[in-house]
Amino acid sequence: VGFRTLSMRFGWPESDTKQLLEAYHSAYPEVRNNFQAQLLESLKTTRRVWNCMGRSRLFLGSIDKVCEAAFAFPNQSTISDIINRWGLDYLWRDPLFEDVILVNQIHDSIEFYVDVRGGYEYAARVLHAIVLNMERPVKWKSREFTIGITPSMMVGNHYNKEEFALLSSEADTAVYLKELHKKLSSKIGGTYDK
């Protein structure tokens, strides 16, 4: 993202966004000096940029015109590939998810329905399985890292939603899910499975 784009998005003066961007790059020099420099070199030599999952994209047109999209590609497409390969594909193929209903998938999230009448233990097992499957190490050049997954529970509508961290065991997560379901249900005057 360039300083002009930031200025237009947030309605801030360009001088402020330029200063903000420079402060960011001063704090994180490897972004410009390593990551962006490698992407620029790849654009100049092959016109291709790769993501952490090994998928590439060909960028045509002048380097100046495609730079922002090329800088965004590795990050955005890696998340998309994780969602599709280790999230959706897993949901469709593993028998554990037989009673799970896929509701929505948007760029960096998967929404699915698990009926708590099937038991909080089942819901916890499903959550642990999908998070563990998606939190696999990925590699960029010589660095290996994991992208964390943050689950949330929703009861009723999107305004009655709460993010949480999985607990260390499925049993602890099941107890927590029951309490969270009770809390969210009471906000909308609903009932919960005792």
Side-chain angles (χ1 to χ4, degrees):
V1 175
F3 71 92
R4 286 191 178 96
T5 303
L6 284 175
S7 177
M8 287 188 295
R9 275 192 197 153
F10 297 110
W12 299 340
E14 285 186 4
S15 58
D16 290 353
T17 57
K18 194 172 193 175
Q19 198 173 14
L20 178 68
L21 203 53
E22 287 308 313
Y24 172 82
H25 285 295
S26 291
Y28 303 100
E30 289 299 304
V31 171
R32 183 178 279 157
N33 300 336
N34 189 355
F35 178 71
Q36 290 180 348
Q38 287 178 19
L39 292 180
L40 277 173
E41 184 59 32
S42 184
L43 276 175
K44 288 174 185 174
T45 58
T46 67
R47 308 297 294 183
R48 286 194 175 278
V49 173
W50 281 262
N51 72 9
C52 296
M53 306 291 278
R55 183 162 60 96
S56 71
R57 178 176 168 193
L58 179 65
F59 288 89
L60 302 174
S62 73
I63 299 292
D64 294 342
K65 301 263 188 230
V66 299
C67 228
E68 192 171 325
F71 287 170
F73 175 76
N75 307 319
Q76 292 175 350
S77 65
T78 295
I79 297 300
S80 175
D81 286 356
I82 288 172
I83 292 284
N84 288 325
R85 291 182 194 178
W86 297 340
L88 293 176
D89 192 55
Y90 186 46
L91 277 170
W92 287 324
R93 296 180 191 280
D94 193 296
L96 170 65
F97 303 108
E98 210 169 84
D99 295 325
V100 174
I101 299 169
L102 179 64
V103 177
N104 201 2
Q105 186 270 318
I106 304 172
H107 305 296
D108 62 354
S109 69
I110 301 174
E111 294 177 4
F112 54 88
Y113 173 80
V114 180
D115 192 337
V116 293
R117 290 176 292 192
Y120 294 99
E121 294 78 12
Y122 174 69
R125 190 165 53 255
V126 163
L127 281 173
H128 273 262
I130 194 78
V131 168
L132 288 174
N133 200 61
M134 291 175 65
E135 284 186 339
R136 297 186 202 178
V138 292
K139 200 171 193 176
W140 175 256
K141 306 294 181 186
S142 61
R143 295 179 186 220
E144 193 172 86
F145 56 94
T146 302
I147 299 170
I149 307 296
T150 305
S152 62
M153 177 185 272
M154 181 173 55
V155 176
N157 60 43
H158 285 280
Y159 300 106
N160 198 27
K161 179 176 175 178
E162 189 166 317
E163 291 183 345
F164 60 92
L166 289 183
L167 302 172
S168 57
S169 75
E170 288 178 16
D172 291 340
T173 300
V175 170
Y176 180 76
L177 288 175
K178 184 174 182 177
E179 289 305 310
L180 183 57
H181 186 226
K182 179 180 175 181
K183 174 184 165 186
L184 293 173
S185 294
S186 69
K187 283 184 180 179
I188 59 171
T191 59
Y192 68 97
D193 184 31
K194 297 178 184 181

